[in-house]
Amino acid sequence: METSSGGRIRLAVLLSGSGTTLENMFEKIQRGELPAEVVAVVSSRRDAYGLVRAAKRGVPSAVVPRKKFATVEKFSDRIFEFIRIHRPDLVCLAGFMCLIRVPEDFRGRIMNVHPALLPAFGG
């Protein structure tokens, strides 16, 4: 992936809850294990603890409650309006629990990361 920041991936993170995945990203970045920078956080819930995690690290954030928008398109438009300001290379859905419409300029630049552990198979 070509990045706009000289090799470090600029990440925007969408979340709906505690922000555990976001915290894991911050820790990996700090240890030098993830060549990235979190440039923006969007939450669908005002009470999401992930917003506190972002604030502690000085990352700009926004709350975009799904219920305030009549359609998925309007909801999505508001999210990506905020995200575009911060020019991310990649948008990470980290436990984001709402359906969104991905605009054309972000096609191929969205990654859905579900924070739940998956069962192990085999053995």
Side-chain angles (χ1 to χ4, degrees), residues 21-32:
T21 301
L22 175 65
E23 185 64 27
N24 289 336
M25 288 176 182
F26 284 139
E27 289 173 6
K28 289 204 175 275
I29 291 166
Q30 187 173 7
R31 289 194 305 262

Side-chain angles (χ1 to χ4, degrees), residues 15 17-19 46-54 56:
L15 54 83
S18 69
R46 190 167 306 286
D47 63 345
Y49 188 70
L51 294 168
V52 174
R53 295 179 192 271
K56 284 181 180 179

Side-chain angles (χ1 to χ4, degrees), residues 6 13 19 28 46 49 66 72-73 80 111:
V13 178
K28 289 204 175 275
R46 190 167 306 286
Y49 188 70
R66 173 63 184 97
V72 168
E73 289 75 21
F80 285 97
M111 180 172 54

